[in-house]
Amino acid sequence: MNRKYRKTVIAGNWKMNMLASEIKPFMEELKANLPKTRSCEMVLCTPAVMIPAMVKAGKECKVAAGGQDVSSFEQGAYTGEVSASQLADIGAKYCIVGHSERRQYHGEDDMLVNAKAAALLEKGVMPIICVGESLEQREMDLTMEYVAYQVKAALSGIDASQLRRCVIAYEPIWAIGTGKTATAQQAQEVCEGIRAVIRSIYGARPARAVSILYGGSMNAKNAQELLAQPDIDGGLIGGASLKPVDFAAIIKATDQD
Ligand code: 13P
C-alpha cells in the first residue's frame, strides 16, 4: 500500500452466493467486528438483483455496493443484460469487469472488457478491471507479457481523467478459489509490472495514483503480508468476503502503519 498517493480498497466479490435477505444479518455481524476507524474503501460486489439491499444495508458501515458484470451496450434489445445506467441508478458505485470466471464461462475477451469498462465510466460507475494469467502461462514465463496485454487492451481509449476512476485487480487464475495464494513477492512483482505498463501509457503521476488490488485466496491470515507490498493497494476477495469475521479481519489488516 502507499496511502500517500492512492486509496486502499478492500472489495468482496460474492460471486453467485448469498441471498438479499442475508445481507442485513451479514452487515450487523460485520459492523460488530470492524475496527472503529478505517482507512480503506470497503466494497461488496453482489449479483445485480441484490445491489439495492446492499446499498441500504451498507450505509451505516460505509460499505459501498458494486456489481459483478455489466452490458457493454447502452440500452435496448439485449435480454438478460444489465446496463451501466441501470447499475448507477440503483446505487452501484463500483462494478467488476473481466473477471476470469466471466472470461472462462462466458467467453469474454479483452475487447469486450474494454467496452464494458468504458460503458461504466460513461455512467459514473467505477470499474474494477480484472486481469491475471493461467497456471500454464505462468509456467511458460508469459505472466507479465500476458497481463500487460490485458491491461493495455482494457484501458484502450480510456483517458487519464477516466483512469483516476478505474481500479485494477490482479487475480492469477491459479490462485482463485484454490487456497493457493500467490506469494507476496509474486503478487508484488506483477502489480509493480502493471503500474509500469500504466506509466508507459499515461505517465508517472496517473500511474502512481491508480489502486491495484490483489485477488486469489486472500484471507485473514495472508492479507497483512500481501497488503504490506508497495504496489498492492488492497484486495478483491471471494470466499473470505462471505464471512463477516474474515472480511473484517482483512479490513483490519489495512491498518498496519
Ligand atoms: P477467492 O478469494 O475465493 O480465491 O476468489 C478470488 C476472486 O475471484 C475474487 O474476484
Side-chain angles (χ1 to χ4, degrees):
M1 295 180 292
N2 185 333
R3 289 190 209 281
K4 189 168 164 206
Y5 296 118
R6 44 195 180 256
K7 67 181 173 200
T8 305
V9 180
I10 298 295
N13 174 9
W14 277 6
K15 308 193 178 183
M16 201 171 70
N17 293 297
M18 306 283 278
L19 298 171
S21 57
E22 292 174 307
I23 292 180
K24 204 163 166 258
F26 177 99
M27 293 307 292
E28 276 161 14
E29 202 178 336
L30 181 68
K31 189 182 164 205
N33 285 279
L34 278 179
K36 285 217 166 49
T37 56
R38 275 107 44 185
S39 38
C40 67
E41 169 96 337
M42 297 178 290
V43 190
L44 282 168
C45 298
T46 67
V49 288
M50 286 153 64
I51 291 172
M54 182 56 76
V55 169
K56 194 165 168 226
K59 275 200 180 107
E60 205 185 327
C61 301
K62 296 203 167 65
V63 174
Q68 298 176 2
D69 183 37
V70 66
S71 173
S72 61
F73 299 107
E74 209 173 316
Q75 64 165 73
Y78 304 102
T79 303
E81 293 276 79
V82 175
S83 72
S85 49
Q86 288 165 341
L87 287 176
D89 185 52
I90 57 171
K93 193 170 169 193
Y94 290 87
C95 183
I96 297 170
V97 290
H99 192 280
S100 62
E101 288 150 16
R102 300 266 347 145
R103 295 178 192 255
Q104 183 183 348
Y105 304 126
H106 301 273
E108 292 195 4
D109 64 16
D110 293 295
M111 306 306 138
L112 185 58
V113 174
N114 173 243
K116 289 184 173 193
L120 288 169
L121 287 165
E122 176 84 10
K123 302 297 173 194
V125 181
M126 292 188 266
I128 300 176
I129 301 166
C130 300
V131 296
E133 81 288 2
S134 66
L135 186 58
E136 291 76 14
Q137 287 164 329
R138 176 159 284 270
E139 284 170 349
M140 288 167 80
D141 206 15
L142 290 172
T143 298
M144 209 50 243
E145 240 173 297
Y146 181 68
V147 171
Y149 170 78
Q150 285 184 309
V151 170
K152 278 188 194 162
L155 294 177
S156 171
I158 288 171
D159 65 29
S161 69
Q162 292 172 312
L163 178 75
R164 285 197 288 129
R165 301 184 55 78
C166 292
V167 174
I168 311 289
Y170 167 55
E171 299 205 309
I173 297 170
W174 48 271
I176 296 177
T178 57
K180 264 196 209 168
T181 323
T183 63
Q185 195 191 343
Q186 283 172 325
Q188 162 59 24
E189 205 174 279
V190 181
C191 290
E192 189 181 353
I194 291 172
R195 199 176 306 285
V197 170
I198 295 175
R199 192 180 306 120
S200 73
I201 307 170
Y202 298 94
R205 265 170 170 248
R208 201 169 63 182
V210 174
S211 298
I212 303 177
L213 318 183
Y214 168 78
S217 299
M218 194 168 184
N219 57 38
K221 284 204 182 85
N222 59 30
Q224 190 150 0
E225 197 190 350
L226 287 159
L227 294 169
Q229 304 304 310
D231 287 289
I232 301 179
D233 305 306
L236 183 56
I237 299 121
S241 74
L242 296 168
K243 299 176 202 127
V245 175
D246 291 8
F247 193 57
I250 297 172
I251 290 160
K252 275 182 209 148
T254 65
D255 272 311
Q256 44 184 270
D257 45 28

